[in-house]
């Protein structure tokens, strides 16, 4: 049955760093973990100061003792019970189950085969619907997506938006599919600032490991801005030694305060490698998630069409040929939106309406967000005297269903 308006917070949503709105339970519940850690750390610092002062006092250098403890104060850290983080964050986590249908021919007949997959998602926002962020590869090609909440209830989810290059997808769930009891138990994750991360910081990973349900692992930031190439796509990721296992994809990487600072997406698997997992820095994809959450629902036939054929300029090609990453225009259709706008052959499309484009798949995804017939902008990198220079073109997009 329909839910009361008190669960609706308006159409336009903006997810910001260090911000979270909670379902059930007070917002003050999240800082409890931080206060606990702060109190414990202060206690540890005082004890360390005392021990250091006593040690140095024995050498007759009391003044140096004060200087040394002041210098060390910001460097002392300890690992405490993280159960409070689990209590605060697990209501924002969901398990994702996907179904795939593949067809094959055998002796002239076509058969269909169903398979299943699993992953993790994070409740990231609420508006007219509930929104869950996960990895693109978790839901890519799925015929059906179902999510399970902290109380064990399930609901069908729709893919609101997905980006292969960033490996990010946003799912939506109708409030009419959720009971009042479930709404009282789930909450929206608090988003932190991954740009402030440093190597060695304590991090906590929560996810649906091996499809067996939510579980927690603890580790540290091994490196920030680690360049990793996955299936031909190069990304800058957080490296951690917190265990990231199959099914953890789309799960949360949290700091000690329980703030979301990464979306887990990969593990390095090799016989001689242990403890190398990767997570997408949340600060790098907040704007993308916002666009997906707020995107207008447009039918495929009503979406925008540009009218070009393109080739991906991958990271390797970009480096080898000194060409900007994007979509290299190899053909422009006659009487298309691209031709009318004057887009140059052999230019490289890098942005559409301010959204970054790195591949043909990403270009198609961005165009699916735009209504055909609307006016927008295309940024093309053009070669001028041996260098590529960006130029912005105004374009009236074709309607996909009209060509």
């Amino acid at each position: 049955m329909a839910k009361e308006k008190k669960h609706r917070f308006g159409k336009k949503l903006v997810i910001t760093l260090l911000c979270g709105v909670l379902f059930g339970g007070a917002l003050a519940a999240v800082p409890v973990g931080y206060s606990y850690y702060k109190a414990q750390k202060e206690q540890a610092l005082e004890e360390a100061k005392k021990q250091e002062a006593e040690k140095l006092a024995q050498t007759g250098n009391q003044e140096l003792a004060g200087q040394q403890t002041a210098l060390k104060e910001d460097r002392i850290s300890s690992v405490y019970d993280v159960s409070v983080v689990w209590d605060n964050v697990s209501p924002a986590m969901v398990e994702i189950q996907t179904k795939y249908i593949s067809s094959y021919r055998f002796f002239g007949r076509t058969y269909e085969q169903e398979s299943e997959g699993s992953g993790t998602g994070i409740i990231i926002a609420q508006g007219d619907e509930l929104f869950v962020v996960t990895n693109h590869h978790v839901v890519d090609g799925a015929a059906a997506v179902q999510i399970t909440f902290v109380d064990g209830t399930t609901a069908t989810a729709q893919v609101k938006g997905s980006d292969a290059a960033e490996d990010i997808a946003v799912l939506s769930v109708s409030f009419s599919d959720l009971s009042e009891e479930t709404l009282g138990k789930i909450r929206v994750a608090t988003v932190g600032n991954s740009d402030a991360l440093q190597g060695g910081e304590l991090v906590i990973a929560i996810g649906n490991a091996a499809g067996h349900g939510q579980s927690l692992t603890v580790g540290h930031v091994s490196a920030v801005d680690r360049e990793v190439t996955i299936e031909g796509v190069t990304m800058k990721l957080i490296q951690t030694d917190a265990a990231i296992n199959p099914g953890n994809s789309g799960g949360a990487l949290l700091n000690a305060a329980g703030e979301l600072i990464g979306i887990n997406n990969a593990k390095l698997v090799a016989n001689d490698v242990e403890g190398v997992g990767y997570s997408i820095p949340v600060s790098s994809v907040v704007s993308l998630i916002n666009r997906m959450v707020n995107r207008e629902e447009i039918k495929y036939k009503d979406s925008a069409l540009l009218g070009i054929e393109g080739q991906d300029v991958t990271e390797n090609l970009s480096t080898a040929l000194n060409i900007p990453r994007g979509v290299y225009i190899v053909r422009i259709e006659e009487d298309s939106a691209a031709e009318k706008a004057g887009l140059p052959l052999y230019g490289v499309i890098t942005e559409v309406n301010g959204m970054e484009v790195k591949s043909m798949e990403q270009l198609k995804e961005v165009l699916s967000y735009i209504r055909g017939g609307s006016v927008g902008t295309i940024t093309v990198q053009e070669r001028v005297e041996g260098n590529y220079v960006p130029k912005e073109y105004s374009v009236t997009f074709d309607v996909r269903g009209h060509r």
Side-chain angles (χ1 to χ4, degrees):
M1 71 180 185
K3 298 292 172 271
E4 297 176 0
K5 292 290 185 180
K6 65 181 179 180
H7 298 302
R8 313 295 175 87
F9 283 75
K11 183 67 177 176
K12 191 71 173 179
L13 298 174
V14 178
I15 301 165
T16 57
L17 302 183
L18 298 173
C19 173
V21 182
L22 307 185
F23 284 104
L27 180 60
V30 172
V32 168
Y34 177 75
S35 298
Y36 174 79
Y37 289 111
K38 184 178 180 182
Q40 294 291 325
K41 182 177 179 180
E42 288 175 352
Q43 183 179 349
L45 291 174
E46 289 301 320
E47 183 63 25
K49 286 181 181 180
K50 182 179 178 181
Q51 293 177 1
E52 188 73 14
E54 290 175 351
K55 178 180 177 180
L56 293 172
Q58 294 174 3
T59 68
N61 197 342
Q62 293 284 4
E63 183 179 355
L64 181 59
Q67 295 173 355
Q68 290 288 330
T69 52
L71 290 172
K72 290 186 176 183
E73 180 170 339
D74 291 334
R75 301 298 300 162
I76 298 171
S77 62
S78 300
V79 178
Y80 301 105
D81 180 7
V82 296
S83 62
V84 67
V85 173
W86 171 265
D87 290 341
N88 284 327
V89 179
S90 58
M93 305 300 300
V94 301
E95 300 165 26
I96 298 177
Q97 296 81 35
T98 52
K99 289 186 178 180
Y100 300 86
I101 298 175
S102 57
S103 60
Y104 63 95
R105 293 183 63 82
F106 186 71
F107 283 103
R109 298 185 62 181
T110 301
Y111 298 87
E112 289 188 344
Q113 183 174 357
E114 188 176 286
S115 58
E116 297 182 344
S118 64
T120 308
I122 308 155
I123 300 174
I124 197 73
Q126 60 175 339
D128 291 341
E129 300 171 289
L130 187 70
F131 299 102
V132 173
V133 66
T134 187
N135 290 141
H136 165 83
H137 75 260
V138 170
V139 296
D140 184 30
V145 180
Q146 187 177 67
I147 63 177
T148 303
F149 296 98
V150 65
D151 63 349
T153 60
T154 62
T156 298
Q158 305 298 322
V159 179
K160 181 79 171 178
S162 192
D163 190 301
E166 301 293 345
D167 198 18
I168 290 292
V170 170
L171 312 178
S172 62
V173 180
S174 173
F175 279 117
S176 63
D177 294 336
L178 304 177
S179 68
E180 293 288 344
E181 291 75 18
T182 297
L183 288 170
K185 292 178 179 178
I186 61 179
R187 62 174 55 171
V188 174
T190 300
V191 179
N193 183 8
S194 61
D195 289 340
L197 277 180
Q198 295 182 338
E201 284 192 42
L202 172 73
V203 287
I204 302 151
I206 299 180
N208 181 21
H212 293 158
Q214 302 293 357
S215 61
L216 175 150
T217 56
V218 178
H220 297 84
V221 175
S222 304
V224 294
D225 292 335
R226 180 73 80 198
E227 284 199 356
V228 182
T229 301
I230 303 173
E231 296 183 355
V233 178
T234 300
M235 309 171 71
K236 286 190 176 181
L237 304 174
I238 301 166
Q239 182 182 326
T240 178
D241 61 355
I244 307 294
N245 295 299
N248 275 126
S249 291
L253 191 70
L254 310 158
N255 60 20
E259 297 161 351
L260 178 69
I261 46 91
I263 300 166
N264 301 324
N265 73 328
K267 176 183 180 180
L268 183 59
V269 179
N271 291 332
D272 56 350
V273 174
E274 281 292 340
V276 180
Y278 298 106
S279 186
I280 301 166
V282 72
S283 299
S284 70
V285 291
V286 162
S287 61
L288 174 62
I289 294 170
N290 275 322
R291 289 198 297 268
M292 291 181 181
V293 166
N294 292 297
R295 67 172 291 192
E296 179 187 2
E297 294 291 347
I298 300 174
K299 293 181 179 179
Y300 181 74
K301 66 181 181 66
D302 297 327
S303 63
L305 187 66
L306 190 55
I308 64 111
E309 288 184 12
Q311 179 180 334
D312 294 355
V313 179
T314 64
E315 186 76 28
N316 289 338
L317 282 175
S318 177
T319 301
L321 303 178
N322 195 28
I323 300 176
R325 285 207 63 183
V327 175
Y328 188 74
I329 303 173
V330 297
R331 191 174 80 86
I332 297 175
E333 295 180 9
E334 186 178 354
D335 200 35
S336 65
E339 183 184 64
K340 293 174 183 176
L343 266 62
L345 195 63
Y346 311 129
V348 181
I349 297 173
T350 55
E351 289 185 6
V352 177
N353 285 357
M355 290 180 277
E356 189 177 34
V357 169
K358 295 181 180 178
S359 66
M360 274 299 294
E361 184 174 0
Q362 196 172 23
L363 174 61
K364 292 175 183 177
E365 180 67 25
V366 169
L367 291 174
S368 74
Y369 296 174
I370 302 170
R371 184 171 294 278
S374 64
V375 178
T377 58
I378 305 290
T379 301
V380 179
Q381 299 277 347
E382 301 178 40
R383 194 174 181 87
V384 178
E385 296 181 353
N387 297 312
Y388 279 88
V389 179
K391 183 176 179 180
E392 190 173 275
Y393 291 84
S394 178
V395 56
T396 300
F397 295 103
D398 292 327
V399 181
R400 185 171 293 278
H402 293 177
R403 288 186 67 88

